[in-house]
Amino acid sequence: MAHATKHEGKTIIETPRSARRLPDHLRQAVCTARAWLAQAWRRLATEKPQGGGTSTGDVFKLSIPLFVELFMQIMVGNVNQVMLSPFGTDPAAAVGNALQILNIVTIALSAMGTASTVLITRLVGRRDAARAVSEIATTSLAVNVLLAGVLTAVLAAFWPQLFALLNVDPAIRGLAGGFLLVVASTTVVQGAFFAVTALLRAYARVGSVMAASLVMNVVNIGVSGALMTWWATTPEAAVESAAWANVAARFVGLGLAAWLLVRRTCVRPHARYLWPFPWATLKKMLGVGIPSSGEQMNYDIAQIVILSFVNVLGTTVVTVKVYCSLIAGLAYLYSIALSQATQIVLGYLFGAGKLDAIARRVWATDLIAIMLTTAASTVIWANSDAILGLLTTDAQVLALGKQILFIEIFLGVGRALNIVMVKALIAVGDVRTPVAVNVLSSWLFAVAGGYLLGIGLGWGLAGMWIAMCVDEWLRAGFLLFMFARGGWRRRAEAAAVA
């Protein structure tokens, strides 16, 4: 095969021996073709295609592997609850409480990943971007590893107090604590995984992220199934099996993601980018990461408080909450994938100054998210007996679950819009509005309203779900109004002039 060498500052394409036997004009054609193919392969393997990557078709192509990846990520945690169902309601409720706390850790670790994705999408394609991209990648990885170490220590020291605040039934605290401590021991691995996959997304290598998540899920299911079949004979052993399966999946996922990053992008994290420490880069990342993760973290903290209300109602109601949250989450899963794909594309459009295209893209994504989420939620409710029947045969769980999934049809519309609009506003530089709206609305309507309807008026879990529905609709309406006002557009135009 032809290869290039340097001689006196000039690049010379050397001809392979097999081609030297050809006539001159054919030999030259072969060498030119091989050189062109080699160059094309290098570009394909190390860069995101420039331009033309912002159409509806491109968004769809990005969203499909993101959807599969999200589904796999959700299954890594929640498939354990399904596999634990034969051991009774206690293991599922215990793992559900532990996962609620671990979700906070996940959001904290994803902050730098979100920031690196947003910042890198605005740099991809610039000739001088290589060092800046690698510096962002290195900073993200270092901060995530450090933060993960701190969070691991906090969980190990204060998990009993956390479960006490959640009003977790003392009878299942041991199960929940065992799962939490084993999984939390690999928080550093999870932090590194989030940092690496965020870099792959920034380069539109969403298929690579999907592959890593798929392999993680296969490992999780395989290890869980093997341990629960051949070793676990008690609920305690079953929960421990689920925890160790999560650990194995995280290690395998990180190894594969790191290998794909090296093979398919030009990003090369290295310690030399940390000396002197890039404080300016960290400041930019925190400016995007903290508000964006703050929105989701506030949401999950509010959900933890709501879960503490649910725990007062008994283990059966907690089980319904866990199962319905898992099932309902599938209804707007594609909306999450679509919002992430749209955020990547909006980053490219924002960097190119195509503001009108940004607005059209956001409104189109909103419409698709509403239609698909409503259709999925309706289908789930219509088949709720069969779906819940896969998890339990408890008549109380089945009856209450059907009520909750009916309310979820309406809640899902607001949730889908919020998912899209938060990602869109962050992509165009408005990171404060989503946080402010989320904090005010979630605590006023979802938390306080949930306590009033669910505990005060005695409506139970259904009352709490209605309060969450009101919260989602009000937040969605305000975010749509703020985007339509165009404050983000004026800020972008001012920045471009400056």
Side-chain angles (χ1 to χ4, degrees):
M1 182 175 179
H3 63 278
T5 59
K6 291 281 187 178
H7 180 69
E8 295 182 356
K10 298 181 180 180
T11 301
I12 300 174
I13 303 295
E14 295 185 357
T15 307
R17 293 181 180 179
S18 59
R20 291 174 187 170
R21 293 191 294 267
L22 297 173
D24 290 344
H25 65 286
L26 291 178
R27 185 171 67 249
Q28 183 62 37
V30 169
C31 293
T32 301
R34 287 183 174 178
W36 183 86
L37 287 172
Q39 184 181 24
W41 171 253
R42 286 194 298 272
R43 288 180 178 176
L44 179 63
T46 60
E47 298 181 5
K48 186 197 75 65
Q50 302 302 309
T54 59
S55 68
T56 300
D58 293 306
V59 174
F60 179 73
K61 290 176 184 177
L62 283 173
S63 68
I64 294 302
L66 283 169
F67 171 75
V68 176
E69 181 233 331
L70 285 167
F71 182 76
M72 293 296 104
Q73 286 288 343
I74 286 178
M75 294 304 290
V76 166
N78 292 324
V79 74
N80 300 129
Q81 296 179 52
V82 177
M83 299 180 75
L84 288 168
S85 58
F87 293 87
T89 57
D90 283 358
V95 172
N97 277 285
L99 287 175
Q100 196 73 60
I101 293 176
L102 290 170
N103 284 343
I104 298 296
V105 175
T106 297
I107 295 165
L109 294 175
S110 65
M112 289 296 98
T114 299
S116 59
T117 298
V118 171
L119 295 178
I120 290 174
T121 55
R122 298 176 184 175
L123 292 172
V124 171
R126 299 182 184 179
R127 293 183 179 181
D128 58 345
R131 177 180 173 81
V133 168
S134 293
E135 184 177 283
I136 292 171
T138 305
T139 305
S140 173
L141 186 59
V143 171
N144 260 21
V145 169
L146 178 62
L147 177 60
V150 173
L151 291 173
T152 300
V154 170
L155 292 177
F158 299 106
W159 69 268
Q161 291 84 351
L162 293 173
F163 285 137
L165 289 173
L166 280 175
N167 295 317
V168 176
D169 189 339
I172 64 172
R173 286 185 189 178
L175 290 174
F179 182 88
L180 178 69
L181 290 175
V182 172
V183 176
S185 67
T186 57
T187 302
V188 171
V189 176
Q190 186 185 32
F193 177 79
F194 286 151
V196 172
T197 53
L199 299 173
L200 287 167
R201 287 194 193 94
Y203 277 80
R205 303 298 184 184
V206 291
S208 298
V209 182
M210 179 188 71
S213 298
L214 178 61
V215 171
M216 287 178 68
N217 210 15
V218 170
V219 171
N220 181 52
I221 293 173
V223 174
S224 290
L227 291 176
M228 290 184 192
T229 301
W230 296 318
W231 178 67
T233 57
T234 64
E236 291 79 9
V239 170
E240 189 176 347
S241 299
W244 285 112
N246 268 261
V247 169
R250 287 183 174 186
F251 274 103
V252 172
L254 174 59
L256 180 58
W259 180 78
L260 290 169
L261 180 71
V262 173
R263 288 292 302 272
R264 299 187 177 181
T265 75
C266 62
V267 180
R268 295 296 181 267
H270 197 280
R272 66 174 177 270
Y273 295 112
L274 298 177
W275 188 264
F277 191 82
W279 293 107
T281 298
L282 179 60
K283 183 178 179 181
K284 290 180 182 178
M285 296 181 71
L286 292 175
V288 175
I290 290 180
S292 61
S293 64
E295 185 275 336
Q296 184 61 45
M297 184 172 290
N298 175 78
Y299 176 84
D300 268 53
I301 292 174
Q303 289 297 308
I304 286 179
V305 175
I306 293 170
L307 180 59
S308 72
F309 302 157
V310 178
N311 279 320
V312 175
L313 303 176
T315 303
T316 299
V317 181
V318 174
T319 303
V320 174
K321 201 270 184 191
V322 170
Y323 286 163
C324 287
S325 295
L326 168 61
I327 295 169
L330 299 177
Y332 46 80
L333 193 60
Y334 183 74
S335 295
I336 299 175
L338 188 63
S339 71
Q340 291 183 354
T342 301
Q343 186 179 49
I344 293 171
V345 169
L346 292 181
Y348 301 149
L349 292 172
F350 190 84
K354 299 179 179 179
L355 305 186
D356 291 334
I358 288 175
R360 291 193 298 269
R361 176 59 49 218
V362 171
W363 298 132
T365 301
D366 282 332
L367 180 60
I368 295 171
I370 291 173
M371 294 172 59
L372 292 180
T373 301
T374 303
S377 299
T378 303
V379 170
I380 288 173
W381 170 74
N383 297 278
S384 58
D385 289 336
I387 295 172
L388 287 168
L390 297 173
L391 304 173
T392 182
T393 57
D394 190 316
Q396 289 183 311
V397 174
L398 293 173
L400 180 57
K402 188 163 189 173
Q403 295 179 27
I404 299 304
L405 291 176
F406 176 74
I407 302 172
E408 184 65 34
I409 296 175
F410 304 96
L411 186 151
V413 174
R415 184 67 186 142
L417 283 172
N418 279 315
I419 289 168
V420 173
M421 294 310 302
V422 166
K423 293 288 186 184
L425 286 168
I426 291 172
V428 298
D430 188 353
V431 294
R432 292 186 178 88
T433 298
V435 179
V437 174
N438 183 289
V439 171
L440 179 62
S441 180
S442 62
W443 289 95
L444 181 60
F445 297 103
V447 176
Y451 184 84
L452 175 63
L453 297 181
I455 305 298
L457 298 181
W459 292 9
L461 189 61
M464 297 179 192
W465 230 267
I466 290 171
M468 289 190 290
C469 181
V470 172
D471 165 51
E472 296 287 356
W473 274 77
L474 290 175
R475 275 194 291 129
F478 190 81
L479 292 180
L480 288 169
F481 172 74
M482 292 299 293
F483 184 82
R485 283 188 63 187
W488 61 272
R489 185 190 294 267
R490 290 189 292 273
R491 285 190 294 271
E493 291 173 345
V497 172

